[in-house]
Amino acid sequence: MFHWIYERMLLSQIEVLPRHICFMISGADLAADPGKCVQVASWSSELNDLLARQGVTETGQKPPAIQGLTFHIARLSPEELERTLPAIKKISSVARLVLHYGTTEEVSGTGLDVVVAIGKSGREEITDCIRRLAENGIQPSAIDEKTLESCLIFRYDPDIVVKTGGDHLTDFLIWQSVYSELFFSDINWKYFRRVDFLRVLRDYQSRTRRFGK
């Protein structure tokens, strides 16, 4: 009962939403509860629907909305990958899933854009960008930020990066997240609840984004 009341209070305080949220999860945390990604995707879609209904009835203005989620899993052993993939793929039942693992990319489902990237490295992504630019004969003087960004695998900038548990951040989205807000939760992924998700959103809207200025 208390959690329900607290959730309602948090919901009433949220007026600004991040467009894109990136969760960084350790392989051990994901293996402990691979279905949590589906829950978070469902929470996001439900929140978008709720705010859309409230926005139309109360203000008539376009309501805020979460446009995308990314779940980055630092690494998984082949055995862990085989065991967790079925649960991860269930995200496609509530959202549009783009799943990256190894050299494989799979797209399924419709709705909110959700990316799951397993074992991807930001340093490797940038190295691959530079290699492709060289292979394509792009002159150094012609290379700018837009040129490099056009070669990235993940072409979006998360508004907030959330790290659960006690592990450090990885180098995933090292280019894209340079101006992202960071949120560190001491709650392990397995125990991450809807109320904890709402706390992240409330914290985000209280921040003043400077984008490096």
Coordinates of all heavy atoms in Angstrom, one line a residue, residues 73-126:
I73 N 24.6 -4.6 -21.8 CA 25.2 -5.7 -20.9 C 26.6 -5.8 -21.3 O 27.0 -6.1 -22.4 CB 24.4 -7.0 -21.1 CG1 22.9 -6.8 -20.8 CG2 25.0 -8.1 -20.3 CD1 22.0 -6.4 -21.9
A74 N 27.5 -5.6 -20.3 CA 28.9 -5.5 -20.5 C 29.4 -6.8 -21.2 O 30.1 -6.7 -22.2 CB 29.7 -5.3 -19.2
R75 N 29.1 -7.9 -20.6 CA 29.6 -9.2 -21.3 C 28.8 -10.3 -20.7 O 28.3 -10.3 -19.6 CB 31.1 -9.4 -21.1 CG 31.5 -9.6 -19.6 CD 32.9 -9.9 -19.5 NE 33.7 -8.8 -20.0 CZ 34.1 -7.8 -19.2 NH1 33.6 -7.7 -17.9 NH2 34.8 -6.8 -19.6
L76 N 28.6 -11.4 -21.5 CA 28.0 -12.6 -21.1 C 28.8 -13.8 -21.7 O 29.3 -13.7 -22.8 CB 26.6 -12.7 -21.7 CG 25.5 -11.8 -21.0 CD1 24.2 -12.0 -21.8 CD2 25.3 -12.2 -19.5
S77 N 28.9 -14.8 -20.9 CA 29.6 -16.0 -21.4 C 28.6 -16.6 -22.5 O 27.4 -16.4 -22.4 CB 29.9 -17.0 -20.3 OG 28.6 -17.5 -19.8
P78 N 29.1 -17.5 -23.4 CA 28.2 -18.2 -24.3 C 27.1 -18.9 -23.6 O 25.9 -18.9 -24.1 CB 29.2 -19.1 -25.0 CG 30.5 -18.5 -24.9 CD 30.5 -17.8 -23.6
E79 N 27.3 -19.5 -22.5 CA 26.3 -20.2 -21.8 C 25.2 -19.3 -21.2 O 24.0 -19.5 -21.3 CB 26.9 -21.0 -20.6 CG 27.8 -22.1 -21.0 CD 29.2 -21.6 -21.4 OE1 29.6 -20.5 -21.1 OE2 30.0 -22.4 -22.1
E80 N 25.7 -18.1 -20.6 CA 24.8 -17.1 -20.1 C 23.9 -16.5 -21.3 O 22.7 -16.2 -21.1 CB 25.5 -16.0 -19.4 CG 26.1 -16.5 -18.0 CD 27.0 -15.4 -17.4 OE1 27.6 -14.6 -18.2 OE2 27.0 -15.3 -16.2
L81 N 24.6 -16.3 -22.4 CA 23.9 -15.7 -23.5 C 22.8 -16.6 -24.0 O 21.6 -16.2 -24.2 CB 24.9 -15.4 -24.7 CG 24.3 -14.8 -26.0 CD1 23.7 -13.5 -25.7 CD2 25.4 -14.7 -27.0
E82 N 23.1 -17.9 -24.1 CA 22.1 -18.8 -24.6 C 20.9 -18.9 -23.6 O 19.8 -19.1 -24.0 CB 22.7 -20.2 -24.8 CG 21.8 -21.3 -25.3 CD 22.5 -22.6 -25.5 OE1 23.7 -22.7 -25.3 OE2 21.8 -23.6 -25.9
R83 N 21.2 -18.8 -22.3 CA 20.2 -18.9 -21.3 C 19.3 -17.7 -21.2 O 18.1 -17.8 -20.9 CB 20.9 -19.2 -19.9 CG 19.9 -19.5 -18.8 CD 20.6 -20.0 -17.6 NE 21.6 -19.1 -17.0 CZ 22.9 -19.2 -17.1 NH1 23.4 -20.2 -17.7 NH2 23.7 -18.3 -16.5
T84 N 19.9 -16.5 -21.5 CA 19.1 -15.3 -21.3 C 18.4 -14.7 -22.5 O 17.5 -13.9 -22.4 CB 20.0 -14.2 -20.7 OG1 21.1 -14.0 -21.6 CG2 20.5 -14.6 -19.3
L85 N 18.9 -15.1 -23.7 CA 18.3 -14.6 -24.9 C 16.8 -14.8 -25.0 O 16.1 -13.8 -25.5 CB 19.0 -15.3 -26.2 CG 20.3 -14.6 -26.7 CD1 20.8 -15.3 -27.9 CD2 20.0 -13.1 -27.0
P86 N 16.2 -15.9 -24.7 CA 14.8 -16.1 -24.8 C 14.0 -15.0 -24.0 O 13.0 -14.4 -24.5 CB 14.5 -17.5 -24.3 CG 15.8 -18.2 -24.5 CD 16.9 -17.2 -24.3
A87 N 14.5 -14.7 -22.8 CA 13.9 -13.7 -22.0 C 14.0 -12.3 -22.6 O 13.1 -11.5 -22.6 CB 14.4 -13.7 -20.5
I88 N 15.2 -12.0 -23.1 CA 15.5 -10.7 -23.7 C 14.6 -10.5 -24.9 O 14.0 -9.4 -25.1 CB 16.9 -10.6 -24.1 CG1 17.8 -10.5 -22.8 CG2 17.2 -9.3 -24.9 CD1 19.3 -10.6 -23.1
K89 N 14.4 -11.5 -25.7 CA 13.6 -11.4 -26.9 C 12.1 -11.2 -26.6 O 11.4 -10.7 -27.5 CB 13.8 -12.7 -27.8 CG 15.2 -12.8 -28.4 CD 15.3 -14.0 -29.3 CE 16.7 -14.1 -29.9 NZ 16.9 -15.2 -30.8
K90 N 11.7 -11.4 -25.4 CA 10.3 -11.1 -25.0 C 10.0 -9.6 -25.0 O 8.8 -9.3 -25.0 CB 10.0 -11.8 -23.7 CG 9.9 -13.3 -23.7 CD 9.5 -13.8 -22.3 CE 9.5 -15.4 -22.4 NZ 9.1 -15.9 -21.0
I91 N 11.0 -8.8 -25.0 CA 10.8 -7.4 -25.1 C 10.0 -7.0 -26.4 O 9.2 -6.1 -26.4 CB 12.2 -6.6 -25.2 CG1 12.9 -6.8 -23.8 CG2 12.0 -5.1 -25.5 CD1 14.3 -6.2 -23.8
S92 N 10.1 -7.8 -27.4 CA 9.4 -7.5 -28.7 C 7.9 -7.7 -28.5 O 7.2 -7.3 -29.4 CB 9.9 -8.5 -29.8 OG 9.6 -9.8 -29.5
S93 N 7.5 -8.2 -27.4 CA 6.0 -8.4 -27.1 C 5.4 -7.1 -26.7 O 4.2 -6.9 -26.7 CB 5.7 -9.5 -26.1 OG 6.3 -9.1 -24.8
V94 N 6.3 -6.1 -26.2 CA 5.8 -4.8 -25.7 C 6.5 -3.7 -26.4 O 6.1 -2.5 -26.1 CB 6.0 -4.7 -24.1 CG1 5.3 -5.8 -23.4 CG2 7.5 -4.8 -23.8
A95 N 7.5 -3.9 -27.2 CA 8.2 -2.8 -27.8 C 8.9 -3.2 -29.1 O 8.8 -4.4 -29.5 CB 9.2 -2.2 -26.9
R96 N 9.5 -2.3 -29.8 CA 10.3 -2.6 -31.0 C 11.7 -2.9 -30.6 O 12.4 -2.0 -30.1 CB 10.3 -1.5 -32.0 CG 11.1 -1.8 -33.3 CD 11.0 -0.6 -34.2 NE 11.8 -0.8 -35.4 CZ 13.1 -0.5 -35.5 NH1 13.8 0.0 -34.5 NH2 13.8 -0.8 -36.7
L97 N 12.1 -4.1 -30.6 CA 13.4 -4.6 -30.1 C 14.5 -4.6 -31.2 O 14.3 -5.2 -32.3 CB 13.3 -5.9 -29.5 CG 14.6 -6.6 -29.1 CD1 15.3 -5.8 -28.0 CD2 14.3 -8.1 -28.6
V98 N 15.6 -4.0 -31.0 CA 16.8 -4.1 -31.8 C 17.9 -4.7 -31.0 O 18.4 -4.1 -30.0 CB 17.3 -2.7 -32.4 CG1 18.5 -3.0 -33.3 CG2 16.2 -2.0 -33.1
L99 N 18.2 -6.0 -31.2 CA 19.1 -6.8 -30.4 C 20.4 -7.0 -31.1 O 20.5 -7.4 -32.2 CB 18.4 -8.1 -30.1 CG 19.3 -9.2 -29.4 CD1 19.7 -8.7 -28.0 CD2 18.5 -10.5 -29.3
H100 N 21.5 -6.6 -30.4 CA 22.9 -6.7 -30.9 C 23.6 -7.7 -30.0 O 23.7 -7.5 -28.8 CB 23.6 -5.3 -30.9 CG 23.0 -4.3 -31.8 ND1 23.4 -4.1 -33.1 CD2 22.0 -3.4 -31.6 CE1 22.7 -3.1 -33.6 NE2 21.9 -2.6 -32.7
Y101 N 24.2 -8.7 -30.6 CA 25.1 -9.6 -29.9 C 26.1 -10.2 -30.9 O 25.6 -10.7 -31.9 CB 24.4 -10.6 -29.0 CG 23.5 -11.6 -29.8 CD1 24.0 -12.8 -30.2 CD2 22.2 -11.2 -30.2 CE1 23.1 -13.7 -30.9 CE2 21.4 -12.1 -30.8 CZ 21.9 -13.3 -31.2 OH 21.0 -14.2 -31.9
G102 N 27.4 -10.2 -30.6 CA 28.3 -10.7 -31.5 C 28.3 -9.8 -32.8 O 28.3 -8.6 -32.8
T103 N 28.1 -10.5 -33.9 CA 28.0 -9.8 -35.2 C 26.5 -9.8 -35.7 O 26.2 -9.5 -36.8 CB 28.9 -10.5 -36.3 OG1 28.5 -11.9 -36.4 CG2 30.3 -10.4 -35.9
T104 N 25.6 -10.2 -34.7 CA 24.2 -10.4 -35.1 C 23.4 -9.2 -34.7 O 23.6 -8.6 -33.6 CB 23.6 -11.6 -34.4 OG1 24.4 -12.8 -34.8 CG2 22.2 -11.8 -34.7
E105 N 22.5 -8.8 -35.6 CA 21.5 -7.7 -35.3 C 20.1 -8.3 -35.6 O 19.9 -8.7 -36.8 CB 21.8 -6.4 -36.0 CG 20.7 -5.3 -35.8 CD 21.0 -4.1 -36.6 OE1 22.2 -3.7 -36.7 OE2 20.0 -3.5 -37.0
E106 N 19.2 -8.3 -34.7 CA 17.9 -8.8 -34.9 C 16.9 -7.7 -34.5 O 17.0 -7.0 -33.5 CB 17.6 -10.0 -34.0 CG 18.5 -11.2 -34.3 CD 18.2 -12.4 -33.4 OE1 17.3 -12.3 -32.6 OE2 18.9 -13.4 -33.6
V107 N 15.9 -7.5 -35.4 CA 14.8 -6.5 -35.2 C 13.5 -7.2 -35.1 O 13.1 -8.0 -36.0 CB 14.8 -5.4 -36.3 CG1 13.7 -4.4 -36.0 CG2 16.2 -4.8 -36.4
S108 N 12.7 -6.9 -34.1 CA 11.3 -7.5 -34.0 C 10.4 -6.7 -33.1 O 10.9 -5.9 -32.3 CB 11.5 -8.9 -33.4 OG 12.1 -8.9 -32.1
G109 N 9.1 -6.8 -33.3 CA 8.2 -6.1 -32.5 C 7.9 -4.7 -33.0 O 8.5 -4.2 -33.9
T110 N 6.9 -4.0 -32.3 CA 6.6 -2.7 -32.6 C 6.4 -1.9 -31.4 O 6.2 -2.4 -30.3 CB 5.2 -2.6 -33.5 OG1 4.2 -3.2 -32.7 CG2 5.4 -3.4 -34.8
G111 N 6.4 -0.5 -31.5 CA 6.2 0.3 -30.4 C 7.4 1.1 -30.0 O 8.2 1.5 -30.8
L112 N 7.6 1.3 -28.7 CA 8.7 2.0 -28.2 C 10.0 1.4 -28.6 O 10.2 0.2 -28.6 CB 8.7 2.0 -26.6 CG 9.8 2.7 -25.9 CD1 9.7 4.2 -26.0 CD2 9.8 2.3 -24.4
D113 N 11.0 2.2 -29.1 CA 12.3 1.7 -29.5 C 13.1 1.2 -28.4 O 13.4 2.0 -27.5 CB 13.0 2.8 -30.3 CG 12.4 3.0 -31.7 OD1 11.9 2.1 -32.3 OD2 12.5 4.2 -32.2
V114 N 13.5 0.0 -28.4 CA 14.4 -0.6 -27.3 C 15.6 -1.3 -27.9 O 15.4 -2.2 -28.8 CB 13.6 -1.6 -26.4 CG1 14.5 -2.2 -25.4 CG2 12.4 -0.9 -25.7
V115 N 16.8 -0.9 -27.6 CA 18.0 -1.5 -28.0 C 18.6 -2.3 -26.9 O 18.7 -1.8 -25.8 CB 19.0 -0.4 -28.5 CG1 20.3 -1.0 -28.9 CG2 18.4 0.4 -29.7
V116 N 19.0 -3.5 -27.2 CA 19.7 -4.3 -26.3 C 21.1 -4.6 -26.9 O 21.1 -5.2 -28.0 CB 19.0 -5.6 -25.9 CG1 19.9 -6.5 -25.0 CG2 17.7 -5.3 -25.2
A117 N 22.1 -4.2 -26.3 CA 23.5 -4.4 -26.8 C 24.3 -5.2 -25.9 O 24.5 -4.8 -24.7 CB 24.2 -3.0 -27.1
I118 N 24.7 -6.4 -26.3 CA 25.4 -7.3 -25.4 C 26.9 -7.3 -25.8 O 27.3 -7.6 -27.0 CB 24.8 -8.7 -25.5 CG1 23.4 -8.6 -25.0 CG2 25.6 -9.7 -24.6 CD1 22.6 -9.9 -25.2
G119 N 27.8 -7.0 -24.9 CA 29.2 -7.1 -25.1 C 29.8 -6.1 -26.1 O 30.8 -6.3 -26.7
K120 N 29.1 -4.9 -26.3 CA 29.6 -3.9 -27.2 C 30.5 -2.9 -26.5 O 30.2 -2.5 -25.4 CB 28.4 -3.2 -27.9 CG 27.5 -4.1 -28.7 CD 28.3 -4.6 -29.9 CE 27.4 -5.5 -30.8 NZ 28.1 -6.0 -32.0
S121 N 31.5 -2.5 -27.2 CA 32.5 -1.6 -26.6 C 32.5 -0.3 -27.3 O 32.5 -0.3 -28.6 CB 33.9 -2.2 -26.6 OG 34.9 -1.2 -26.5
G122 N 32.5 0.8 -26.6 CA 32.6 2.1 -27.2 C 33.9 2.4 -28.0 O 33.9 3.0 -29.0
R123 N 35.0 1.9 -27.4 CA 36.3 2.1 -28.0 C 36.3 1.3 -29.3 O 36.8 1.8 -30.3 CB 37.4 1.6 -27.1 CG 37.6 2.5 -25.8 CD 38.7 2.0 -25.0 NE 38.9 2.8 -23.9 CZ 40.0 2.7 -23.0 NH1 40.9 1.8 -23.3 NH2 40.1 3.5 -22.0
E124 N 35.8 0.1 -29.3 CA 35.8 -0.7 -30.6 C 34.9 0.0 -31.6 O 35.2 0.0 -32.8 CB 35.2 -2.1 -30.3 CG 36.2 -2.9 -29.5 CD 35.6 -4.3 -29.2 OE1 34.4 -4.5 -29.6 OE2 36.3 -5.1 -28.5
E125 N 33.8 0.6 -31.2 CA 32.9 1.3 -32.1 C 33.6 2.5 -32.8 O 33.5 2.7 -34.0 CB 31.6 1.8 -31.4 CG 30.6 2.4 -32.4 CD 29.4 3.0 -31.6 OE1 29.5 3.3 -30.4 OE2 28.3 3.1 -32.3
I126 N 34.3 3.3 -32.0 CA 35.0 4.4 -32.6 C 36.2 4.0 -33.5 O 36.4 4.6 -34.5 CB 35.5 5.4 -31.5 CG1 34.3 6.0 -30.8 CG2 36.4 6.4 -32.0 CD1 34.6 6.9 -29.6

